Amino acid sequence: MNEWLTIAMPKGRIFEEAVQLLRKAEFPIPPEFEESRKLIVDAPEANMRFILAKPMDVPTYVEHGVADIGVAGKDTMIEEERDVYEVLDLHISACYLAVAGLPEYEKTDVNPKVASKYPNLATQYFKQQGEQVEIIKLNGSIELAPLVGLADRIVDIVSTGQTLKENGLIELETIVPITSRLIVNPVSYRLKDTVIDDLVERVAQVIGVEEQL
Amino acid sequence: MSKLFMFEKPLGMRDALPGYFQTKRNVQRVINDEWESWGYLPVETPTLEYYDTVGSASAILDHQLFKLLDQQGRTLVLRPDMTAPIARVTASGLQNQHFPIRLAYHTNVFRAQQLEAGRPAEFEQLGVELIGDGTSSANGEVVSLMIEALRKTGLTTFQITVGHVGYVNALLEEVLGNDERADDLRRFLYEKNYVGYRQHVENLPLSSLDKKKLNSLLRLRGDWRTLDEAVNLVQTPAAREAVEELQEMKAVLEHYELSDYIKLDFNLFMHMSYYTGIVFESYGNNLGVPLGSGGRYDELLQQFNRPAQAVGFGLRLDLLVEALGLTGAVPSQTCILFSPERRPEAVDHARKLRETGKRVVLQDIRGVEDVDQLSDSYEDVISMIGKKKEGAAHE
């Protein structure tokens, strides 16, 4: 098994956690490897190449096949709807998606506006709730929207709830729990099946979900 | 909306310039020759079909159909694939022809425009359909034909993965009983969401043995030995039948000496309801999307009132060219450069050369912008300029 795997990862904390997982699964990844600032880093000992991308873009790299596998949050998977295999819940960077707003928020007859980084996901969610809303797409600091009156609610990731609290917002509804997922390109999944199955099994063992496989 | 620049094309539409065109045509000829040598007869059908007939019978999802209206206000579709039109033809124009019928096609198909790169709204597809034969020999024949066609194109590394929808359904039904609950899991398979599948299984009110069985499905892949695991997992008649079909197909492929190209994957689940038996996809190195796919669809023909078993596949020409790389250099050409007073001689010489199979361009020297550049773009330039001398002067 000396086939190379190209792995797309979000920069920062998830990359570090994922590399830790791989080390625990006994893939020989050199120490201090994750401190590099390069966008492409190779681990020849493990036959792996890492592509470091924006979290939202990871499924894109994997779908187009320039990366064989990737680590992506469930939030981006729902938002992007890419044609990739979602093979393993890595149980890292756990958080959840929620609807939040000002404490005094009340439903009114005015066209409800919702600000989010996840326009598709938010639209889908409110549709399921039987509510038609207008979505305003923002790229960050979503909490601003209700504070300045851009929207009356937001849909965003919540991990500790600290950011909401500090900005005087409260959680109104929980949408879905989020964790990072191991995703695989459909062609790589078939052509590099042995290496990928081996990796999935070893990582699953580390996170203790192998009985589910 | 901003004003269009004159060079712009509608979203998802592509040009084929000479170099690309040549490659594409070379690949297409090789494949067509292969189909025809196996006795598959090429057919053509219209670009436009009714939404209510071919459109709704097609395996392509509704939101991917390219729709328009005719003068009576009926919805039309730009043909999204060729399988449904061929089913229509088989049940109408060819209704008096006895089964089995072997047909081939090479045509452009359409998909609703999408913003993203790499998703053309129009592309060429090459494929075959073997209609009215439900045997394993037929299954083996079309899979072999796909392999042979890919081999002939010069593609060095590729693989066919084969699955069986009948087996998956048998397993799901054995454990879950009713079809609705099975549908949930089928959807997870179709969406390639194995995490969701496992979570869903975990929450079902089932024995741990049954849960294990359902989860085992996700690992049911590999070489032909996977068949033994498949046999052990489910023993219902439908499951046995599916495994037997694959075993027979293996034998057929061994007779064709092509069984090494195959891997099995029981999770290959390309459509919620269209396919009824074996399904297969082909993958080439260096390309992130399947080159082609196919399978057995025994229920399509009855929608056109001529029930019949059928199996077939399509290959995407655009993806094949991408996988092979631009290999089709424009063939070498000779240029005869003449001045008007020697035109008759030039025309005569060109005719003679063309009869020998050469590609000859006749070019009046007065129409040339840059003689040096012109010389560079031809393999051979023959000058017939100025007063006639004895014999044609070569440059």
Side-chain angles (χ1 to χ4, degrees):
Chain A
M1 275 196 287
N2 35 28
E3 252 174 317
W4 274 73
L5 277 184
T6 305
I7 308 177
M9 294 255 189
K11 278 177 261 192
R13 196 170 45 87
I14 297 181
F15 178 47
E16 284 162 32
E17 284 182 75
V19 167
Q20 288 305 333
L21 273 181
L22 289 173
R23 279 208 190 99
K24 277 191 205 151
E26 286 168 22
F27 286 96
I29 294 169
E32 284 160 41
F33 178 74
E34 53 276 41
E35 280 153 38
S36 162
R37 293 181 142 261
K38 284 187 184 162
L39 295 178
I40 300 177
V41 269
D42 287 348
E45 302 86 344
N47 282 331
M48 284 176 181
R49 157 171 289 182
F50 293 86
I51 300 178
L52 299 179
K54 278 268 179 203
M56 211 65 132
D57 295 337
V58 167
T60 312
Y61 287 93
V62 176
E63 184 187 50
H64 284 262
V66 290
D68 298 307
I69 63 178
V71 173
K74 183 64 187 172
D75 51 333
T76 57
M77 294 298 291
I78 303 174
E79 178 64 23
E80 292 279 310
E81 290 188 325
R82 296 281 165 175
D83 187 25
V84 295
Y85 281 94
E86 188 180 322
V87 294
L88 194 63
D89 185 346
L90 293 174
H91 293 283
I92 55 174
S93 49
C95 54
Y96 58 96
L97 276 163
V99 184
L102 290 166
E104 58 270 27
Y105 167 75
E106 263 176 55
K107 267 190 190 160
T108 60
D109 293 342
V110 185
N111 293 342
K113 289 199 192 99
V114 173
S116 183
K117 246 195 314 198
Y118 308 97
N120 290 335
L121 186 153
T123 312
Q124 256 180 53
Y125 172 73
F126 284 104
K127 237 188 226 178
Q128 281 160 12
Q129 305 302 307
E131 192 183 350
Q132 190 164 4
V133 299
E134 292 173 13
I135 305 285
I136 297 170
K137 154 113 190 175
L138 292 178
N139 291 303
S141 306
I142 317 294
E143 295 79 8
L144 261 177
L147 300 176
V148 296
L150 179 64
D152 39 29
R153 282 169 295 171
I154 61 171
V155 167
D156 204 13
I157 288 285
V158 180
S159 42
T160 59
Q162 198 58 32
T163 320
L164 287 182
K165 210 186 229 171
E166 281 175 18
N167 289 293
L169 299 180
I170 57 157
E171 195 183 310
L172 301 167
E173 290 157 61
T174 311
I175 301 179
V176 65
I178 301 291
T179 46
S180 290
R181 307 292 160 93
L182 190 69
I183 60 174
V184 184
N185 170 270
V187 174
S188 304
Y189 185 66
R190 300 265 148 61
L191 289 182
K192 300 187 175 176
D193 53 345
T194 330
V195 208
I196 288 172
D197 283 352
D198 172 65
L199 181 135
V200 170
E201 228 151 283
R202 281 158 75 176
V203 173
Q205 232 156 44
V206 170
I207 53 183
V209 294
E210 79 275 24
E211 69 279 358
Q212 282 179 30
L213 288 190
Chain B
M1 224 185 301
S2 61
K3 194 175 180 298
L4 288 173
F5 288 103
M6 288 308 286
F7 66 80
E8 284 187 278
K9 307 182 290 290
L11 190 68
M13 297 295 174
R14 291 171 174 176
D15 296 316
L17 302 182
Y20 180 83
F21 185 88
Q22 204 64 42
T23 314
K24 188 170 71 120
R25 200 167 62 173
N26 294 347
V27 175
Q28 171 232 317
R29 278 187 177 157
V30 165
I31 295 178
N32 277 355
D33 288 351
E34 189 64 20
W35 304 158
E36 288 178 37
S37 75
W38 289 50
Y40 285 76
L41 296 173
V43 287
E44 266 181 5
T45 66
T47 308
L48 290 171
E49 296 269 3
Y50 283 121
Y51 169 74
D52 290 327
T53 61
V54 167
S56 63
S58 148
I60 307 305
L61 300 177
D62 198 72
H63 71 267
Q64 293 182 321
L65 297 179
F66 210 125
K67 301 186 195 101
L68 52 157
L69 297 177
D70 72 4
Q71 282 183 321
Q72 281 77 42
R74 273 193 189 276
T75 310
L76 307 177
V77 292
L78 289 174
R79 104 187 117 221
D81 65 9
M82 266 304 271
T83 308
I86 282 184
R88 179 180 57 69
V89 166
T90 305
S92 54
L94 294 175
Q95 61 176 318
N96 294 325
Q97 194 170 324
H98 291 294
F99 290 133
I101 297 174
R102 286 175 169 79
L103 297 175
Y105 60 86
H106 159 233
T107 190
N108 47 350
V109 297
F110 302 85
R111 297 291 146 81
Q113 295 160 301
Q114 289 185 57
L115 262 177
E116 179 108 1
R119 290 178 185 159
E122 177 184 19
F123 53 84
E124 282 171 76
Q125 215 175 38
L126 292 142
V128 298
E129 312 289 349
L130 172 43
I131 304 155
D133 184 348
T135 62
S136 290
S137 296
N139 289 345
E141 174 177 324
V142 290
V143 174
S144 300
L145 188 45
M146 189 191 227
I147 298 171
E148 284 295 8
L150 290 174
R151 276 220 297 210
K152 291 278 158 64
T153 63
L155 200 65
T156 46
T157 39
F158 64 91
Q159 180 191 309
I160 315 281
T161 294
V162 180
H164 200 296
V165 175
Y167 182 87
V168 177
N169 290 339
L171 171 79
L172 296 181
E173 270 147 44
E174 194 213 358
V175 178
L176 296 168
N178 76 48
D179 227 0
E180 262 168 54
R181 290 206 303 179
D183 252 356
D184 291 337
L185 288 180
R186 265 192 285 267
R187 181 153 298 279
F188 283 117
L189 289 179
Y190 172 68
E191 289 173 350
K192 305 187 169 78
N193 183 357
Y194 292 0
V195 174
Y197 179 97
R198 277 189 225 106
Q199 281 170 354
H200 189 82
V201 168
E202 194 50 42
N203 294 327
L204 286 172
L206 295 171
S207 70
S208 60
L209 199 71
D210 277 344
K211 285 182 183 174
K212 213 168 166 197
K213 228 178 208 182
L214 288 176
N215 284 334
S216 302
L217 176 64
L218 299 183
R219 304 174 84 176
L220 215 49
R221 64 197 202 110
D223 56 22
W224 287 105
R225 280 171 295 183
T226 313
L227 282 178
D228 301 332
E229 293 170 49
V231 171
N232 292 331
L233 196 62
V234 209
Q235 273 98 24
T236 62
R240 275 181 181 283
E241 204 182 302
V243 173
E244 261 163 41
E245 235 177 82
L246 287 169
Q247 263 154 353
E248 283 168 26
M249 196 182 88
K250 177 184 177 226
V252 178
L253 286 161
E254 275 165 359
H255 296 148
Y256 281 96
E257 294 175 4
L258 296 172
S259 63
D260 289 347
Y261 285 94
I262 308 287
K263 285 226 178 172
L264 293 179
D265 191 332
F266 283 87
N267 305 307
L268 191 62
F269 205 80
M270 287 121 59
H271 194 275
M272 282 299 283
S273 58
Y274 188 79
Y275 292 106
T276 54
I278 60 154
V279 285
F280 50 96
E281 272 189 333
S282 52
Y283 314 100
N285 261 2
N286 312 323
L287 205 62
V289 279
L291 296 169
S293 63
R296 181 163 280 289
Y297 51 99
D298 289 345
E299 279 157 20
L300 177 70
L301 270 289
Q302 70 196 30
Q303 293 188 48
F304 294 91
N305 303 320
R306 193 185 178 190
Q309 296 172 302
V311 59
F313 68 85
L315 289 170
R316 277 187 58 170
L317 191 52
D318 58 329
L319 296 178
L320 265 172
V321 171
E322 211 179 315
L324 289 161
L326 275 192
T327 50
V330 178
S332 60
Q333 296 180 327
T334 303
C335 180
I336 301 178
L337 201 56
F338 65 91
S339 55
E341 62 273 29
R342 290 179 67 185
R343 189 185 298 111
E345 186 196 344
V347 170
D348 184 53
H349 193 55
R351 185 178 291 133
K352 281 182 187 139
L353 285 177
R354 284 175 188 146
E355 275 165 10
T356 69
K358 280 202 165 157
R359 296 170 183 242
V360 185
V361 169
L362 264 178
Q363 178 60 54
D364 189 326
I365 182 80
R366 294 171 303 172
V368 179
E369 206 173 50
D370 181 333
V371 176
D372 287 341
Q373 210 176 48
L374 177 112
S375 308
D376 285 346
S377 52
Y378 291 97
E379 190 175 68
D380 189 17
V381 177
I382 301 168
S383 289
M384 295 190 172
I385 298 161
K387 285 245 164 62
K388 189 180 167 156
K389 293 172 205 147
E390 282 306 306
H394 280 247
E395 201 175 66

